[in-house]
């Protein structure tokens, strides 16, 4: 038995599986929650300037967020690659993987930053901004764009550190970035002492500055924890871009379904559109818990596959699936129990009639959501990107077909949007579980089939 396998035999997961899962997942959950909370603070501060500045913030932030998400493939691929090389005991390989992802990410983001800076006016126009809103949104974009390379450094670093199962350092960096952003927001938006009041533009400058502070901190931690190298394999770079292609197609399919579902709900009238916005926001928030579990599963599965112990990777898959499914049922109960509170706090009186049935459907879908999200993380850890791409494309095709059959001219049909969303998530959950058991196709988890020289 080689050294990597011997080390894997002493992994805390094998001694205390559920405690290890919670220990790794909790810091991830806290770091995931930090960003939307800071977004609320941004919104609250800019709202004090008036409706037009707030609208400009929505245009600018929405435009840049839709561009930055493209780079999420770097974090996913880096986390899996580092987890597997860590499992093999190949820290030189981990160092090269991180360095390559950083170089590719920064190079692309620098090119993209130039295009975004030059095209800020066009982007604001495309999102319907006019007059003062257009001018403020353009200025916001131009001051936030210089932070794009820093954002890439941070998200790649998050993937790398989580790949070596260091979940606390990303949490501290996430909290540091968001705290700095809040402080700088106040200084740059309203001005204080030597700091001029820049309004909405100040929010963009604060985001850029806080991201660069986080990027410098991240580079220091990467150098200390994993190391960085000047010598990278560009052949591996093409492999990373192929992974990016699969993840990009998958993410695009997901986004298309979410946007089309929103479009159908909006066409049903203001009441259905308002109800959909409330349910969607709660639905995305509940996903953070299972996303944290999925990130943990990705790191542990990658580690044990890298160390050649696929039987342990299957144990991780079973344990994290149990935890995620239990979380899904807990979310179901919490959503149903919170119905009166949500109705009173967020749902306009006119939308209450169409809200209830759709809300119940969304609540009942939570266990299915949990299965879909956790199996995503498990299959990411096994580098099964093409399968995840194909499963998402199939789910989106089914969901879009179902949405087309809904009568979008009646608000009473609104519950059908969430029935189709449940169908969409059910297809994802089905294929995610089937890939684990019985292990359809060339599954890394299929028992008794040799793969890469190992017995599963």
């Amino acid at each position: 038995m080689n050294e990597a396998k011997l080390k894997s035999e002493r992994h805390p997961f094998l001694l205390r599986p559920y405690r290890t899962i919670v220990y790794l997942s909790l810091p991830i959950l806290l770091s995931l929650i930090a960003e939307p909370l800071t977004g609320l603070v941004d919104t609250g501060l800019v709202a004090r300037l008036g409706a037009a500045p707030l609208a400009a913030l929505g245009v600018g932030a929405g435009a840049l967020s839709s561009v930055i998400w493209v780079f999420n493939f770097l974090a996913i691929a880096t986390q899996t690659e580092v987890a597997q090389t860590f499992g093999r005991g190949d820290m030189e390989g981990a160092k090269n993987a991180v360095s390559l992802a950083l170089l590719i990410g920064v190079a692309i983001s620098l090119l993209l930053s130039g295009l975004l800076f030059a095209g800020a006016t066009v982007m604001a126009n495309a999102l319907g901004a006019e007059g003062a809103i257009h001018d403020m949104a353009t200025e916001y974009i131009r001051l936030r764009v210089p932070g794009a390379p820093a954002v890439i450094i941070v998200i790649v670093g998050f993937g790398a550190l989580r790949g070596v199962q260091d979940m606390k350092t990303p949490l501290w960096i996430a909290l540091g970035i968001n705290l700095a952003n809040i402080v700088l927001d106040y200084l740059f938006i309203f001005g204080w002492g030597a700091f001029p009041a820049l309004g909405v533009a100040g929010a963009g400058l604060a985001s850029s500055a806080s991201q660069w502070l986080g990027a410098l901190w991240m580079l220091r931690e990467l150098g200390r924890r994993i190391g960085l190298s000047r010598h990278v394999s560009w052949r591996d770079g093409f492999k990373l871009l192929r992974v990016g292609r699969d993840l990009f197609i998958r993410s695009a399919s997901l986004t298309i379904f979410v946007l089309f579902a929103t479009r159908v709900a909006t066409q049903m009238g203001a009441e259905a559109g308002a109800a959909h916005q409330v349910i969607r926001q709660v639905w995305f928030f509940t996903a953070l818990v299972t996303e944290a579990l999925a990130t943990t599963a990705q790191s542990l599965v990658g580690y044990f596959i890298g160390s050649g112990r696929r039987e342990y990777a299957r144990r991780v898959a079973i344990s994290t699936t149990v935890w995620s499914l239990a979380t899904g049922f807990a979310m179901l109960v919490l959503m149903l129990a919170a119905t009166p509170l949500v109705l009173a706090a967020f749902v306009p009186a006119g939308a209450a009639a169409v809200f209830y049935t759709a809300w119940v459907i969304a609540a009942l879908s939570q266990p299915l959501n949990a299965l879909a999200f956790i199996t995503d993380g498990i299959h990411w850890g096994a580098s099964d990107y093409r399968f995840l791409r194909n499963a998402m494309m199939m789910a989106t095709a089914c969901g879009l077909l179902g949405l087309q059959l809904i009568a979008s001219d009646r608000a009473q049909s609104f519950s059908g949007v969430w029935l189709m969303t449940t169908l969409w998530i059910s297809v994802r959950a089905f294929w995610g579980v089937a890939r684990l058991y019985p292990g359809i196709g060339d599954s890394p988890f299929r028992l008794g089939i040799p793969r890469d020289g190992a017995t599963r």
Side-chain angles (χ1 to χ4, degrees):
M1 186 178 292
N2 62 35
E3 184 178 346
K5 286 190 175 182
L6 282 171
K7 185 179 178 182
S8 70
E9 296 285 349
R10 299 190 294 271
H11 195 280
F13 172 81
L14 302 177
L15 301 175
R16 298 179 296 274
Y18 295 136
R19 179 178 176 183
T20 301
I21 290 170
V22 173
Y23 178 79
L24 294 175
S25 299
L26 190 57
I28 300 172
L29 176 61
L30 295 175
S31 63
L32 290 173
I33 290 173
E35 186 170 348
L37 289 179
T38 303
L40 290 175
V41 173
D42 273 4
T43 301
L45 290 175
V46 173
R48 293 168 59 183
L49 301 176
L54 186 58
L57 176 67
V59 170
L64 291 171
S65 296
S66 65
V67 173
I68 293 297
W69 73 263
V70 174
F71 293 94
N72 195 45
F73 80 89
L74 286 169
I76 294 171
T78 301
Q79 181 172 335
T80 295
E81 185 66 22
V82 170
Q84 292 184 3
T85 54
F86 182 50
R88 292 194 295 269
D90 178 15
M91 291 309 294
E92 190 65 28
K95 180 192 301 185
N96 292 337
V98 176
S99 302
L100 178 63
L102 287 172
L103 283 174
I104 290 176
V106 170
I108 296 175
S109 64
L110 285 172
L111 175 62
L112 189 61
S113 295
L115 294 174
L116 289 174
F117 188 88
T121 299
V122 175
M123 187 175 292
N125 280 333
L127 291 175
E130 297 178 349
I133 294 175
H134 173 277
D135 294 342
M136 287 186 287
T138 300
E139 194 173 6
Y140 173 88
I141 292 171
R142 285 178 173 163
L143 284 174
R144 191 171 170 186
V145 156
V151 174
I152 303 308
I153 292 170
V154 170
I155 64 173
V156 169
F158 280 1
L161 292 173
R162 288 167 180 165
V164 295
Q165 296 164 35
D166 178 358
M167 310 305 189
K168 290 184 178 180
T169 302
L171 169 61
W172 296 126
I173 293 176
L175 292 176
I177 290 172
N178 286 287
L179 180 59
N181 190 48
I182 290 170
V183 173
L184 293 175
D185 259 348
Y186 191 87
L187 292 177
F188 292 147
I189 291 173
F190 302 110
W192 183 77
F195 294 94
L198 300 176
V200 176
L205 182 59
S207 293
S208 290
S210 59
Q211 288 292 346
W212 274 111
L213 290 172
L216 294 174
W217 187 358
M218 177 60 75
L219 289 172
R220 175 179 176 275
E221 292 300 325
L222 288 175
R224 185 179 65 85
R225 188 73 175 84
I226 299 174
L228 297 172
S229 173
R230 297 180 181 178
H231 307 290
V232 296
S233 168
W234 292 108
R235 180 179 300 175
D236 291 339
F238 290 116
K239 175 183 173 183
L240 182 61
L241 292 175
R242 285 196 298 272
V243 169
R245 176 198 62 195
D246 290 337
L247 290 173
F248 176 83
I249 294 171
R250 178 188 177 277
S251 297
S253 298
L254 184 154
T255 303
I256 287 169
F257 176 82
V258 171
L259 290 176
F260 194 76
T262 301
R263 178 176 181 270
V264 172
T266 303
Q267 288 177 330
M268 293 177 180
E271 292 80 9
H276 184 70
Q277 172 66 8
V278 172
I279 298 172
R280 188 180 64 171
Q281 291 303 313
V282 174
W283 193 84
F284 280 135
F285 188 80
T286 61
L288 295 178
V289 180
T290 44
E291 187 177 342
L293 289 167
T295 303
T296 294
Q298 181 184 357
S299 289
L300 291 174
V301 166
Y303 173 81
F304 285 121
I305 284 180
S307 64
R309 303 312 298 259
R310 292 181 182 272
E311 67 275 21
Y312 295 159
R314 283 193 295 273
R315 286 174 60 178
V316 169
I318 293 169
S319 297
T320 52
T321 299
V322 168
W323 265 91
S324 190
L325 196 55
T327 300
F329 279 107
M331 291 297 175
L332 186 162
V333 173
L334 286 173
M335 283 183 68
L336 292 179
T339 303
L341 177 62
V342 173
L343 273 168
F346 301 108
V347 182
V354 299
F355 170 83
Y356 183 76
T357 302
W359 172 260
V360 170
I361 293 170
L364 293 174
S365 74
Q366 288 300 310
L368 292 169
N369 294 350
L371 286 176
F373 298 149
I374 195 64
T375 52
D376 279 352
I378 291 166
H379 297 310
W380 280 334
S383 303
D384 210 357
Y385 304 116
R386 182 174 296 180
F387 172 80
L388 289 172
R389 177 200 70 188
N390 293 340
M392 180 64 77
M393 290 173 67
M394 185 180 298
T396 295
C398 293
L400 292 178
L401 179 61
L403 288 171
Q404 290 279 17
L405 300 176
I406 299 172
S408 59
D409 58 342
R410 298 199 311 267
Q412 291 76 12
S413 302
F414 173 59
S415 59
V417 173
W418 282 93
L419 276 174
M420 291 306 106
T421 301
T422 302
L423 170 65
W424 175 68
I425 207 74
S426 297
V427 174
R428 291 173 56 190
F430 171 80
W431 289 114
V433 171
R435 188 70 161 173
L436 291 175
Y437 183 84
I440 59 171
D442 185 25
S443 171
F445 297 95
R446 191 174 179 184
L447 291 167
I449 304 292
R451 183 179 174 116
D452 298 332
T455 300
R456 298 182 198 166

